């Protein structure tokens, strides 16, 4: 098979995997215990959950977009 028939090369797939791992890391940073009707947990409004985790997810999605747009070497 000729390599010119493929849309992505190996580096594209590696960048996609890295981007997906960054997104998963962002969702892990967002996770944690929540509040119930009887017990209020102020940790749901921590800077890690509100600021850091969404920024990490955004970085992961942007890197995945770059991996898709990147042209493979000829």
């Amino acid at each position: 098979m000729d390599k010119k028939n493929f849309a992505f090369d190996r580096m594209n797939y590696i960048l996609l995997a890295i981007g997906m791992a960054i997104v998963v890391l962002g969702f892990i940073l967002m996770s944690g215990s929540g509040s119930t009707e009887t017990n209020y947990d102020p940790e749901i409004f921590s800077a890690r959950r509100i600021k850091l985790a969404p920024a990490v997810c955004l970085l992961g999605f942007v890197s995945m977009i770059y991996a898709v747009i990147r042209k493979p070497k000829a």
Side-chain angles (χ1 to χ4, degrees):
M1 284 175 94
D2 190 15
K3 282 192 148 204
K4 293 185 187 266
N5 291 336
F6 295 115
F8 295 147
D9 64 350
R10 182 178 176 169
M11 192 62 188
N12 288 87
Y13 288 114
I14 291 171
L15 291 173
L16 277 170
I18 291 170
M20 189 63 182
I22 293 171
V23 170
V24 169
L25 175 68
F27 278 106
I28 289 172
L29 288 172
M30 275 190 237
S31 67
S33 63
S35 293
T36 62
E37 291 181 22
T38 58
N39 185 19
Y40 172 71
D41 185 14
E43 185 64 23
I44 62 173
F45 298 112
S46 70
R48 180 192 62 149
R49 286 181 161 179
I50 292 181
K51 296 177 183 175
L52 179 66
V56 170
C57 285
L58 180 66
L59 179 71
F61 285 123
V62 168
S63 66
M64 289 174 67
I65 291 170
Y66 170 73
V68 169
I69 293 174
R70 180 186 172 272
K71 281 189 172 183
K73 305 268 188 212

